[in-house]
Amino acid sequence: MAKLIGKNRIKTAVFISGNGSNLKSLIFFSKKKISPIQISLVISNNKRARGLNYAKKYKINKFSIIYKNKKNADFLILKKLKKNNIKLILLAGFMKILSKNFIISFKHPILNIHPSLLPKYKGLNTHERVIKNNEKFTGCTVHMVNKKLDSGKIILRKKIKIYKKDDAKTLEKRVLKQEHKLYPKAIGKFLSNL
């Protein structure tokens, strides 16, 4: 996979909904010589997502879509992916669940980063639930996306200790720092095994 330099990098789309801090770290990763990906497209379901500024700054094509009609949104996104020859999707804080039809229609890998140690705490509000249940550890997981929410094959996980002083906010910040390191590692591992 180290041979995938320059023109041979995998054309990748990153899906975001908010600040885009994972997108930013993925852009930095994609600029490295050893990186197997080229981020060619950023897609957001939120036209005001601050993360879109990174796409603008680094001159990456961007596309925002409002999910009023899921079927229509799927169709338009798939069309955009095809037009840009995208072979890999990275979900990075994308707050919409991809439909089964979308996952079947896109014939290439889709990866996601989730802020818990899957299979525990699938879905939303993970940090609040982790704190409420007095867990000793939490972390983040990069996994393949399949038709069931947060249930695809796990690629890599990073575990961190929860401190007594932690609340959902402090935990979110600490987990996010680990996400930025874990996602590029997991992408490298996943693509080298293809």
Side-chain angles (χ1 to χ4, degrees):
M1 206 30 79
K3 292 175 201 152
L4 284 177
I5 291 178
K7 288 178 185 171
N8 296 327
R9 293 178 186 221
I10 291 176
K11 289 198 165 216
T12 303
V14 182
F15 285 35
I16 65 166
S17 293
N19 291 333
S21 69
N22 265 309
L23 168 63
K24 184 184 177 186
S25 83
L26 289 170
I27 291 170
F28 288 163
F29 170 61
S30 74
K31 303 278 181 204
K32 291 182 177 177
K33 269 190 174 177
I34 55 143
S35 177
I37 62 166
Q38 174 195 328
I39 299 172
S40 307
L41 185 63
V42 174
I43 287 180
S44 178
N45 65 308
N46 171 10
K47 286 185 177 175
R48 293 193 183 90
R50 282 170 56 196
L52 289 170
N53 294 329
Y54 294 121
K56 193 177 174 184
K57 184 179 175 181
Y58 293 99
K59 296 178 176 56
I60 300 166
N61 287 336
K62 59 186 194 298
F63 180 59
S64 300
I65 185 146
I66 304 300
Y67 267 71
K68 277 182 186 160
N69 176 325
K70 200 160 194 173
K71 247 186 178 172
N72 191 42
D74 282 357
F75 173 76
L76 292 171
I77 293 171
L78 285 163
K79 198 174 160 186
K80 204 79 175 166
L81 294 169
K82 196 173 182 186
K83 189 183 172 191
N84 286 272
N85 200 24
I86 299 298
K87 300 287 190 245
L88 174 69
I89 292 174
L90 303 174
L91 304 181
F94 188 61
M95 302 310 285
K96 289 284 175 190
I97 295 168
L98 297 177
S99 71
K100 287 177 186 175
N101 180 56
F102 182 94
I103 294 163
I104 293 163
S105 301
F106 184 72
K107 304 268 190 270
H108 308 285
I110 304 173
L111 305 187
N112 182 40
I113 188 151
H114 183 75
S116 80
L117 294 172
L118 290 175
K120 280 182 149 188
Y121 301 103
K122 296 173 184 179
L124 299 173
N125 307 316
T126 51
H127 306 301
E128 288 86 345
R129 290 189 285 149
V130 161
I131 296 275
K132 195 180 168 187
N133 290 339
N134 296 313
E135 294 282 2
K136 300 273 188 289
F137 295 94
T138 188
C140 47
T141 307
V142 177
H143 66 96
M144 290 190 71
V145 173
N146 64 12
K147 291 178 246 174
K148 284 178 81 182
L149 180 68
D150 297 331
S151 298
K153 186 181 174 213
I154 290 169
I155 299 161
L156 271 184
R157 279 190 294 208
K158 174 67 181 173
K159 187 171 165 181
I160 66 163
K161 194 170 167 40
I162 298 170
Y163 301 118
K164 280 182 182 165
K165 63 177 197 285
D166 270 322
D167 60 21
K169 273 239 155 75
T170 61
L171 205 53
E172 183 183 2
K173 272 188 177 170
R174 289 177 49 231
V175 169
L176 196 57
K177 272 187 179 170
Q178 297 304 323
E179 288 180 30
H180 297 161
K181 295 175 190 170
L182 188 71
Y183 217 166
K185 270 187 199 166
I187 292 161
K189 182 187 175 191
F190 174 75
L191 292 175
S192 68
N193 290 330
L194 282 185

